Amino acid sequence: MTIKVVPDWMINLEEEDVKFIKNFILSSGSLKEMAKEYDVTYPTVRLRLDKLIQKVEMEDKIEENSYISLIKRYAIDDKIDFEAAKILISEYRKHIERTGINE
């Protein structure tokens, strides 16, 4: 019986992200090859990789609470506007400071 262990930094990645990582490895880390495979420009692949790097870095920041991590993840995934994410996080932090409650 084999037990699969998923590193913490991969837990919240979407299936598309994992496929991208696999393709990146199989292309020996060549962004030019990735651009050909996905039929997009090099800058598009670079942007995708940068967003993935942000996701992984965010998962490494354990000190932040789950709400802030969720908002950041939504912004990175373009599910909410970056400016809206900044406002939500700022208002949440103000609320925490006023109430002392960190849920």
Side-chain angles (χ1 to χ4, degrees):
M1 178 180 194
T2 303
I3 298 175
K4 294 183 181 183
V5 178
V6 178
D8 289 342
W9 62 268
M10 288 188 81
I11 291 173
N12 292 315
L13 294 180
E14 296 178 14
E15 186 176 343
E16 286 181 30
D17 296 329
V18 176
K19 286 180 184 177
F20 185 87
I21 292 169
K22 179 181 177 184
N23 290 336
F24 183 73
I25 292 168
L26 293 175
S27 70
S28 298
S30 170
L31 295 181
K32 288 181 182 179
E33 288 298 315
M34 295 286 289
K36 286 179 190 175
E37 183 174 331
Y38 283 94
D39 194 28
V40 296
T41 64
Y42 177 92
T44 301
V45 174
R46 182 70 235 184
L47 179 64
R48 175 92 185 267
L49 180 60
D50 289 342
K51 286 184 176 187
L52 193 51
I53 290 168
Q54 289 176 339
K55 285 183 183 183
V56 172
E57 288 174 341
M58 185 178 55
E59 289 301 323
D60 285 343
K61 293 182 180 180
I62 299 171
E63 73 278 357
E64 289 196 311
N65 72 37
S66 59
Y67 177 79
I68 293 174
S69 294
L70 176 67
I71 296 300
K72 286 182 177 181
R73 207 167 30 249
Y74 280 171
I76 291 168
D77 288 338
D78 293 324
K79 292 180 181 177
I80 63 172
D81 179 76
F82 181 71
E83 289 302 315
K86 284 175 32 179
I87 292 168
L88 287 169
I89 291 170
S90 174
E91 291 301 314
Y92 179 74
R93 286 183 172 147
K94 287 177 190 174
H95 172 75
I96 296 303
E97 287 175 13
R98 280 192 314 268
T99 63
I101 300 172
N102 188 3
E103 297 176 351

